[in-house]
Amino acid sequence: MQTKLRRKPKGAYHHGQLERALLEAALATIREEGVQALTLRGVGSRLSVSRTALYRHFEDKTALLARVASEGFRLLGEALSGAMAGVPEGGDALQAMGAAYVRFAVNNHSHYQTMFGGFLKDWGKYPDLIENAEAAFSLLLDMIRDEQARGRIISGEPIELAEVIWSLSHGVATLAVAGQLKRTPASAEDLVLLGCRLLENGLRPR
Amino acid sequence: MQTKLRRKPKGAYHHGQLERALLEAALATIREEGVQALTLRGVGSRLSVSRTALYRHFEDKTALLARVASEGFRLLGEALSGAMAGVPEGGDALQAMGAAYVRFAVNNHSHYQTMFGGFLKDWGKYPDLIENAEAAFSLLLDMIRDEQARGRIISGEPIELAEVIWSLSHGVATLAVAGQLKRTPASAEDLVLLGCRLLENGLRPR
DNA sequence: ACCTGAACACCGTTCAAGT
DNA sequence: ACCTGAACACCGTTCAAGT
């Protein structure tokens, strides 16, 4: 009779933590084969679980991706505030943030790909995705305002300045991850640092 | 007997120009539903042609996308050189190019999505894709060198400067197309112009 | 509560066959 | 030369059923 009770060893193993396991499995698949190669069948079989087990924990495939993206923005926020915390008094916060952003994209491009790959259509359906993304953006915005207050950055609408800096970092990150910046030996981090320096001092001769 | 000769009106119609028609149909589908919604069955039925007719003209689905991307880079090149041609003596070539790049992305985002959406893995398989992309980049590079020669831009490795400027424009374009730059009323073109001005004059107070 | 298995409506691609 | 139709091996998702 006892053998009848242990209905399914595999299922029992994941009891209560299948959700976490599904996320890790999805991330591993994305890392190894890319987002577009992610299949629910693949995720399931990685955990020796049916392809439909996932539906107990996520509404659908997109919800799984939204969760990966949301965690990505949380991690990005941590990376950015960690970098800010490491900037010495009088150090260059802009360069530190730019470098941290690009480093995050390169080192976590499973997350990064999911965050910005265009697989998520209705961000509105995933409130904590928006929340985490906005929190990360706020770190950049606060940095700008702070630098402006110290007179280290010219005045101007801080949101627009932040969007420009984000665009530069995002451009370097996406082009680097796509393998489009290989004309010089400069690394993606080198390039974003150069970009920040140019933004600070200007391209015009003095 | 004559009725027997006209085997299939539909097929006859596309004779010799099905390839072009397939490209246009693919572009229309991408415009209306996005790249990820593009199916060979859909493209075929749009032209009242079998889903496999395409294989006479393209190696596979990816080759069709590569062709769309390749034409996109050609069009981008035309847009950039058109913008350059319109810059008056002593005008701001950097801003003109940045604005033209973003305008291209916004106005042709079926092409743009295909060019940079990450659907093409092996660029090496499509020589004229690389060629057209490199030709577009060269326009930017030549502009930098020219501005340097005129003493309007500081010295420095022109390829790296070009990659930074490309990154800024590409970042603004992709974030704008993804709907992520809606915190201010500034348009994508406004933002890239601001970015170019900051790059030119620097963020640091003078 | 949690998971399965069969079923459904889709894919891209191959290939023998038609005209 | 150009296109078709059936077949194959995949998808995501639904749902009745099992424990």
Side-chain angles (χ1 to χ4, degrees):
Chain A
M1 293 304 114
Q2 238 199 332
T3 56
K4 217 179 172 193
L5 281 181
R6 41 201 300 278
R7 27 186 208 122
K8 195 153 176 311
K10 303 164 197 165
Y13 180 38
H14 288 301
H15 235 85
Q17 37 196 343
L18 180 56
E19 183 169 332
R20 190 75 240 161
L22 286 165
L23 274 171
E24 310 271 319
L27 223 30
T29 306
I30 297 170
R31 193 179 313 120
E32 292 162 20
E33 310 171 50
V35 191
Q36 78 295 333
L38 181 81
T39 69
L40 300 189
R41 287 159 151 84
V43 170
S45 84
R46 208 179 256 269
L47 300 173
S48 302
V49 129
S50 145
R51 34 200 157 309
T52 58
L54 174 141
Y55 287 87
R56 284 292 127 196
H57 302 278
F58 298 95
E59 197 192 341
D60 54 16
K61 188 184 180 182
T62 305
L64 174 66
L65 289 175
R67 182 68 167 276
V68 170
S70 179
E71 295 216 342
F73 278 108
R74 191 176 49 71
L75 292 171
L76 173 62
E78 285 174 12
L80 294 182
S81 54
M84 284 302 291
V87 178
E89 185 59 30
D92 199 311
L94 174 56
Q95 289 185 35
M97 259 204 155
Y101 187 97
V102 169
R103 229 182 294 123
F104 173 84
V106 171
N107 293 338
N108 304 274
H109 82 269
S110 317
H111 280 109
Y112 199 74
Q113 225 184 132
T114 312
M115 291 152 71
F116 293 108
F119 303 93
L120 279 2
K121 292 291 176 186
D122 295 334
W123 283 49
K125 282 191 65 177
Y126 310 99
D128 67 284
L129 172 58
I130 297 178
E131 204 174 312
N132 287 340
E134 218 51 42
F137 183 78
S138 288
L139 293 170
L140 175 58
L141 194 53
D142 290 346
M143 185 270 280
I144 302 281
R145 289 186 173 129
D146 200 54
E147 294 284 291
Q148 281 182 324
R150 291 162 185 254
R152 294 165 49 86
I153 282 187
I154 56 174
S155 63
E157 171 56 67
I159 298 185
E160 292 182 2
L161 296 183
E163 288 189 340
V164 166
I165 292 165
W166 182 25
S167 293
L168 172 64
S169 309
H170 182 71
V172 171
T174 52
L175 291 175
V177 166
Q180 312 244 32
L181 298 180
K182 301 197 163 158
R183 295 174 186 83
T184 75
S187 70
E189 199 171 328
D190 292 338
L191 275 176
V192 79
L193 286 173
L194 171 61
C196 288
R197 260 180 277 129
L198 293 175
L199 265 185
E200 286 167 341
N201 302 319
L203 275 168
R204 291 264 162 79
R206 307 207 177 198
Chain B
M1 290 305 113
Q2 238 196 333
T3 56
K4 216 178 170 193
L5 282 181
R6 39 200 302 279
R7 22 179 213 131
K8 192 152 178 312
K10 302 165 198 164
Y13 181 38
H14 289 300
H15 235 87
Q17 36 195 346
L18 180 56
E19 183 169 332
R20 191 76 241 161
L22 285 165
L23 274 172
E24 308 272 319
L27 223 29
T29 307
I30 297 171
R31 194 179 313 119
E32 292 162 19
E33 309 171 51
V35 192
Q36 78 294 336
L38 181 80
T39 70
L40 300 190
R41 287 159 150 84
V43 170
S45 84
R46 207 180 256 267
L47 300 173
S48 302
V49 129
S50 143
R51 34 200 156 306
T52 59
L54 173 143
Y55 287 89
R56 284 293 128 195
H57 303 278
F58 297 95
E59 196 194 341
D60 54 17
K61 188 184 181 183
T62 305
L64 174 66
L65 290 175
R67 182 67 166 278
V68 171
S70 179
E71 295 216 342
F73 278 108
R74 191 176 51 69
L75 293 171
L76 173 61
E78 284 174 13
L80 294 182
S81 53
M84 285 302 291
V87 177
E89 186 58 31
D92 199 310
L94 174 56
Q95 289 184 33
M97 259 203 157
Y101 186 98
V102 169
R103 229 181 295 122
F104 173 84
V106 171
N107 293 338
N108 303 274
H109 80 269
S110 317
H111 280 109
Y112 199 73
Q113 224 184 130
T114 312
M115 292 152 71
F116 293 108
F119 302 95
L120 279 4
K121 292 291 175 185
D122 294 335
W123 282 50
K125 282 191 64 178
Y126 311 99
D128 66 285
L129 173 57
I130 296 179
E131 204 173 311
N132 287 341
E134 217 52 42
F137 183 78
S138 288
L139 293 171
L140 174 58
L141 193 54
D142 290 345
M143 184 269 281
I144 302 281
R145 289 187 172 126
D146 200 55
E147 294 284 291
Q148 282 182 322
R150 291 161 186 254
R152 293 165 50 86
I153 282 188
I154 56 174
S155 64
E157 171 56 66
I159 298 184
E160 291 183 3
L161 296 183
E163 288 189 340
V164 166
I165 293 166
W166 182 25
S167 293
L168 172 64
S169 309
H170 182 70
V172 171
T174 52
L175 291 175
V177 166
Q180 313 244 31
L181 298 179
K182 301 197 163 159
R183 296 174 185 84
T184 74
S187 71
E189 201 171 328
D190 292 338
L191 275 177
V192 79
L193 286 173
L194 171 61
C196 288
R197 260 180 277 128
L198 293 174
L199 265 185
E200 286 167 340
N201 302 320
L203 275 167
R204 290 263 161 80
R206 308 206 174 197

